[in-house]
Each structure stands twice: as structure tokens, then as C-alpha cells.
Amino acid sequence: MNTTPTKYIFVTGGVVSSLGKGIAAASIGRLLVARGLRVTIQKFDPYINVDPGTLSPFQHGEVFVTDDGAETDLDLGHYERFVGESLSVANSITTGRIYQEVIQKERRGEYLGATVQVIPHITDAIKTAIRRLAPNHDVVITEIGGTVGDIESLPFLEAIRQYRQEVGREHTLFIHLTLIPYIAAAGELKTKPTQHSVRELMEIGIQPDILICRSEHPIPPEMRRKIALFTNVDVASVIEARDVDSIYEVPLDYRRQRLDEQVCAKLGLQNTPKPDLASWEQLVERVKRPRNGTVRIAVVGKYVALVDSYKSVQESLYHGGIANDVKVQIDWLSSEDFENGQSAEKLSQYHGLLIPGGFGVRGVEGMLAAIGWARENGLPFFGICLGLQTAIIEFSRSVCGLEHAHSAEWERDTSDPVICLMDSQRQVTDLGGTQRLGAYTARLVPGSRSAQIYGGSEISERHRHRYEVNNAYRPQLQEAGMLISGTSPDGNLVEMIELPDHPWFVATQAHPELKSRPDQPHPLFASFVEAAMARRNGAEQTTIDLRAQAASEPAAEVNA
């Protein structure tokens, strides 16, 4: 057991945003976990929102929800998937949360009449958020959102500069992620942006210990030496970060460059064993060279113009592919297209349909058309949150004969509100942090497909929604052939539904994608992809049979 003090790694970014700091931090975490260390990762976001819960998915991608109900940045999903630890509200900090905390203390008089300032009060609150994660962890990795040079991130950078002074240089490590752009007209890679970015960081008082350089082309040794010379970093600590086929290959690429050895040497963790990455290498091999071909999945949603809006759904489908040793090809289809003249018959070219979560009425009728086609044509269907609610509405209209069935969220005066507001939500006026959030237990009907998939009768999944299935309509739904296969422990809330006479038709009110990991694919996604493979194989066999029949008919006529 490691008895050394907790070590701290700070990951910053320069030149441009969206370089992949989250993947870099998560990959470093994976390497350290593979060495037997206890690792946690947190994200500091410089925006003033208290959390991303009220942000549009087009602004900030998906909202990742933790077990304890925190609405967080999507990078926490990467952290959980790579490190294998369920994170909490303590792992996601925004400028808004920090200022809210400090102002509340000031209002309570906890500063004893002092003038409240960025230094020391804001920076002290930031350092407390870092220190809070130290117990029971050997390494705390902190990613600073934004780009060096942004005014919003300055308090966070000042706080981590101070933190090194407080806990000691031997216990802290600064890693800076930059871009080495390729100028096509000149046919050259350029190091100047990286030099300027590091210089700006040094002006704040932070000297990076390791540089991770994103590049579309190989960085030659002489360029690495030049970068090291002008940034005051060891040559061995200039790490190349090229694009790879799968994000899960990044830890292996870092390992090939001995990044983990650099980290351990600089933090005094040399006595840790070499990383055991055998199982990780196997899953990457399955991602890159699957043995069972390809399945095509249609994801029909509202925010498909920005795939990051469904990042966990995307990764979970890939995990389902890993579980079945098959490549999952995802086509992102706008549900509005099915409202504007595009026929749902288009789904015939896919092996599965997934309807993800979302808010608002836009595109809902298109989702209903897609679900109806999947239900009638035996296409494997997987509904998540809004996907369950739209499946209820479609079934109510098409099978139960409730032609005006709708959700009270979008049509308050509907005569058949098959989806309605939770009683606990009726008096809620604030939007942020007031939904049904976090992990809830559900009980599954023994013998149901859901129970078979999970391998048990009691489960726990994370939620993020306000509206529920209206219990007044449950008898009609069940009489028409729908199985309510999962409910809350008291039986009052519908958690899962399925159609027993359909090849694979399952929907959940929860967000199972939030708990799926590459080395532990979520059972619902694994089963859904397996059903898509069966659909593909059945279609292929039908094609073969038809071709064989067509080939034999002329011969039969001659013989006749």
C-alpha cells in the first residue's frame, strides 16, 4: 500500500480549445490505475453557471449525471470510463459554484468583516475543492477548463500556482496540452504557438513539467528538442499526441512514449509496478479489428447536429460493440427530418433504432414516426428517458386507440396525458438542479427481458427528468400488450417497459449510458447490439435465400 502523501496533477491547455484535455487527463488516470494507484479526477470549468444543467446541449454538449445527482461536464464521463471510479459533485467545480459558496459565506458573516477578494478568498475556495478529494486517493488529477490566456480561468491558474507552494513541488505536477499546427502551404509544423502558450503560463507563475503536443503529423526529434529548449522542459517530457482510431487507444500511445514513467518519476512514485494494460489492449483490439463485422444503428434525436450532446450514448454503443466483438456504425438522424417529409421507411437499412433523451416538443412527432416503424417492422428499438416517453405516446395512439395521447410537458390540455408531471415537481419554479437526479433503485419483473438482460431483479440507474408515465393509463397499456417490466420499489413509478412479442423493444426512464464503461459494457447496450446483429444476420440470410431461389428457378424450368 502506498503511504506517500497524496500527489496532485494539474492539466492545462493552450493555443486553442477542444484539444482533448479531458481525454488526456483520463488517459493519464488510466495508466496510473493500471499501476495499482488510487486515482480520482476533477474538472474546473471557468463559466459562471453553477453547473451545466441549464445549458443548451449545443452550447456545452451532454450533461453527465453522477450517482449523487450532480449535473456535470461531459468530461466526467470520460473520467469514469477510463478510471473506473464513480465520481461525485466534488469532482465538478465551476466558477459559479465557487463564487456562490464564497458569497454565501460572506452573507453569513464568516469572513468577520474582511473585504472579500479573488485573492485570497476565491483562490482559497478553489484550493479547498482540490484538497477535498485527497482522502483515500494516491493521486488527484485536476483538469482546468478553457485555454491559458482566457480571463475566466485566471483564478483557477492562480490557485494551482499557490497549491504547489503549499504542498511542495515534489507532490505536484503541471502538464500542459498544446497544439503544433501544420501549415499546408509551407509543408511545415510550427512550434511558435506552443512557445507563446508556455510563456503565457510562465508569466502567471506556472512552469509546466510535461508538454503534450497535439499534432496531425509526426513531431521529429529535432523539433522536440527545439520545443524543450524554448519551454524549459526535459526533451523526454515532450509527448506527441497524434489522432488515433479510438480514444481508448490514447493510454496505450502514452504508454509507448513512457509518459506514465515520467509522471511517476517526477512525483516520486517510482516504486509502483509497471502498468497492467493487457485487458485494455484486448478491448482496443476489438474496437480496431472486430471479428463479427458491422451493425448499423440509427440514433434519432433532437441534438444530432452536435454529437457531443449524446457523447455517453455514442460511447456506450461502442461498448456494446466491444461486448459482441462487432463494429457499431452510428448514423445520427434528426427527428425533425421525419416530420418534414422523410419516410420512416429509411430505417429499413439499419439494424437497430435508439431514441435518446432530450427536452421540449421539437422533433417529437418525428420520433413517434420512427418508433412506430420499428414496432411494426420488428426493428430492435432502445428508448432512453425521452425515448421511453415517446414510446408510451406512440403505443397509446397506435395500439390503445388514444389518438390524442401526449405528454403534459408539451400539451397541457391534452385529453390523454399519458406522460405527466411528478407530484414533487408541481411547485418547482427553478430549473437548475431541481429534476429527478442521480441514482435510483428499480425492481424488475422476474422472467422479463429486462430482468434477463440485467441478470437480476433489482437495479440502480441514474436519472435526469421531471415527467413520468401517468399511472392512470398503466392498465390500458398492459391490456394492449405492453409489459411494464420495471418500477420504483414502491411500484409507483414506471422505470422500464418492453413489448414481449417484439424481437427487441425495451425502453428505460433512466440513463444507462452514464454507467457504461469500455471494460464493463452496460448490459442493455450489449443486449441491444446483440439484437442488432441478429437483425443483420436475419436480413443477410433472407437475401441469400432469395438469391438461391432466383438462381434455382431457371434450372427448374428447364428440368420441367
Side-chain angles (χ1 to χ4, degrees):
M1 181 176 177
N2 198 304
T3 58
T4 59
T6 301
K7 307 294 184 177
Y8 301 90
I9 300 173
F10 299 102
V11 180
T12 58
V15 184
V16 296
S17 60
S18 300
L19 284 180
K21 292 193 302 298
I23 297 297
S27 298
I28 294 166
R30 176 73 249 174
L31 291 174
L32 297 180
V33 166
R35 283 177 169 265
L37 295 168
R38 300 167 299 172
V39 180
T40 191
I41 314 181
Q42 69 181 163
K43 175 74 179 286
F44 285 165
D45 269 309
Y47 52 76
I48 299 177
N49 303 67
V50 173
D51 58 47
T54 58
L55 285 172
S56 163
F58 293 119
Q59 287 276 318
H60 205 67
E62 78 167 358
V63 174
F64 188 85
V65 179
T66 57
D67 280 338
D68 62 355
E71 294 177 290
T72 72
D73 183 80
L74 64 82
D75 276 330
L76 265 76
H78 292 311
Y79 303 163
E80 285 202 1
R81 289 188 282 270
F82 278 69
V83 175
E85 176 180 304
S86 292
L87 305 181
S88 71
V89 65
N91 295 83
S92 180
I93 306 295
T94 68
T95 293
R97 270 191 63 192
I98 292 294
Y99 273 83
Q100 183 182 60
E101 178 184 320
V102 169
I103 290 171
Q104 286 173 347
K105 284 185 176 181
E106 184 273 333
R107 292 290 83 188
R108 292 193 298 265
E110 292 187 25
Y111 294 118
L112 303 176
T115 300
V116 179
Q117 298 175 293
V118 173
I119 302 173
H121 302 97
I122 296 298
T123 52
D124 281 353
I126 294 170
K127 289 183 290 184
T128 298
I130 301 169
R131 198 174 290 111
R132 192 178 293 131
L133 291 176
N136 302 318
H137 291 108
D138 300 310
V139 180
V140 175
I141 302 174
T142 302
E143 176 194 346
I144 312 297
T147 306
V148 171
D150 297 342
I151 191 171
E152 294 94 341
S153 60
L154 283 174
F156 292 109
L157 296 174
E158 170 60 20
I160 66 174
R161 183 197 69 79
Q162 294 177 18
Y163 204 80
R164 167 168 273 189
Q165 296 297 108
E166 292 179 10
V167 303
R169 182 174 297 272
E170 69 275 18
H171 300 310
T172 56
L173 186 72
F174 292 132
I175 298 178
H176 192 51
L177 183 67
T178 71
L179 175 69
I180 306 293
Y182 179 76
I183 308 301
E188 290 181 332
L189 291 167
K190 292 296 183 181
T191 66
K192 195 64 71 177
T194 291
Q195 295 178 40
H196 285 304
S197 179
V198 172
R199 187 172 300 161
E200 192 155 11
L201 196 59
M202 292 173 69
E203 287 175 358
I204 299 169
I206 296 173
Q207 165 65 56
D209 302 293
I210 294 174
L211 288 180
I212 299 179
C213 302
R214 283 296 304 271
S215 174
E216 296 178 352
H217 298 268
I219 302 175
E222 62 272 16
M223 184 167 286
R224 292 196 191 200
R225 288 192 290 271
K226 178 180 179 182
I227 293 170
L229 176 65
F230 282 97
T231 60
N232 203 29
V233 172
D234 298 334
V235 175
S237 297
V238 178
I239 305 298
E240 177 185 276
R242 301 267 305 281
D243 289 346
V244 290
D245 295 332
S246 166
I247 59 172
Y248 303 116
E249 196 175 352
V250 175
L252 303 181
D253 188 48
Y254 286 173
R255 172 59 187 156
R256 282 191 288 269
Q257 299 181 67
R258 298 184 173 182
L259 173 58
D260 56 314
E261 294 180 12
Q262 288 284 318
V263 169
C264 290
K266 293 178 185 296
L267 287 175
L269 297 170
Q270 297 98 321
N271 294 330
T272 60
K274 291 184 178 180
D276 180 4
L277 295 168
S279 60
W280 199 265
E281 290 171 347
Q282 290 173 5
L283 76 84
V284 169
E285 180 65 19
R286 281 196 165 198
V287 170
K288 296 176 70 175
R289 283 172 282 274
R291 294 183 295 180
N292 293 322
T294 301
V295 293
R296 299 187 67 195
I297 303 297
V299 177
V300 177
K302 301 159 66 77
Y303 316 118
V304 294
L306 181 66
V307 175
D308 273 359
S309 302
Y310 302 117
K311 177 55 71 176
S312 290
V313 169
Q314 179 187 43
E315 295 306 315
S316 297
L317 284 170
Y318 293 153
H319 302 166
I322 292 171
N324 290 281
D325 209 356
V326 67
K327 178 182 179 181
V328 177
Q329 177 185 324
I330 306 172
D331 283 2
W332 304 91
L333 309 180
S334 172
S335 57
E336 291 180 273
D337 290 344
F338 292 98
E339 298 177 348
N340 299 326
Q342 181 170 278
S343 172
E345 184 71 28
K346 179 178 182 178
L347 296 175
S348 63
Q349 62 188 289
Y350 295 98
H351 307 124
L353 166 67
L354 188 150
I355 304 288
F359 295 90
V361 72
R362 179 176 60 83
V364 163
E365 293 298 327
M367 294 179 188
L368 300 182
I371 293 169
W373 193 94
R375 179 180 55 78
E376 293 171 356
N377 292 276
L379 180 68
F381 166 75
F382 188 8
I384 296 175
C385 196
L386 179 61
L388 176 140
Q389 297 179 5
T390 47
I392 291 285
I393 295 169
E394 194 281 328
F395 192 84
S396 299
R397 291 182 184 180
S398 303
V399 181
C400 299
L402 305 174
E403 59 182 76
H404 298 297
H406 221 308
S407 169
E409 178 183 1
W410 312 309
E411 193 172 319
R412 293 186 178 182
D413 299 327
T414 179
S415 58
D416 290 302
V418 293
I419 305 297
C420 64
L421 193 64
M422 298 164 54
D423 289 339
S424 62
Q425 292 285 328
R426 295 189 185 279
Q427 305 305 317
V428 172
T429 56
D430 289 348
L431 295 181
T434 58
Q435 301 179 80
R436 185 182 177 202
L437 293 166
Y440 287 85
T441 300
R443 290 182 179 161
L444 306 179
V445 174
S448 65
R449 183 188 296 273
S450 299
Q452 292 170 0
I453 291 171
Y454 276 99
S457 60
E458 187 165 299
I459 61 171
S460 175
E461 295 288 3
R462 300 175 188 176
H463 289 247
R464 183 175 183 254
H465 63 99
R466 295 185 193 280
Y467 287 77
E468 300 279 359
V469 175
N470 190 334
N471 287 332
Y473 291 89
R474 283 167 64 169
Q476 286 177 266
L477 294 169
Q478 291 172 311
E479 288 171 10
M482 176 175 284
L483 174 62
I484 296 175
S485 54
T487 64
S488 55
D490 61 5
N492 193 45
L493 301 176
V494 173
E495 292 282 10
M496 296 194 71
I497 63 169
E498 58 189 67
L499 296 182
D501 59 351
H502 190 280
W504 205 98
F505 193 106
V506 177
T508 173
Q509 184 64 78
H511 286 273
E513 71 274 18
L514 301 177
K515 295 181 72 172
S516 185
R517 294 168 183 171
D519 51 350
Q520 299 176 32
H522 193 284
L524 283 175
F525 283 90
S527 180
F528 175 58
V529 172
E530 183 181 27
M533 290 174 63
R535 171 81 172 190
R536 179 202 64 186
N537 295 342
E540 290 174 351
Q541 185 60 49
T542 299
T543 301
I544 292 171
D545 292 344
L546 290 174
R547 287 174 179 169
Q549 181 181 351
S552 65
E553 283 177 356
E557 291 174 5
V558 171
N559 292 336

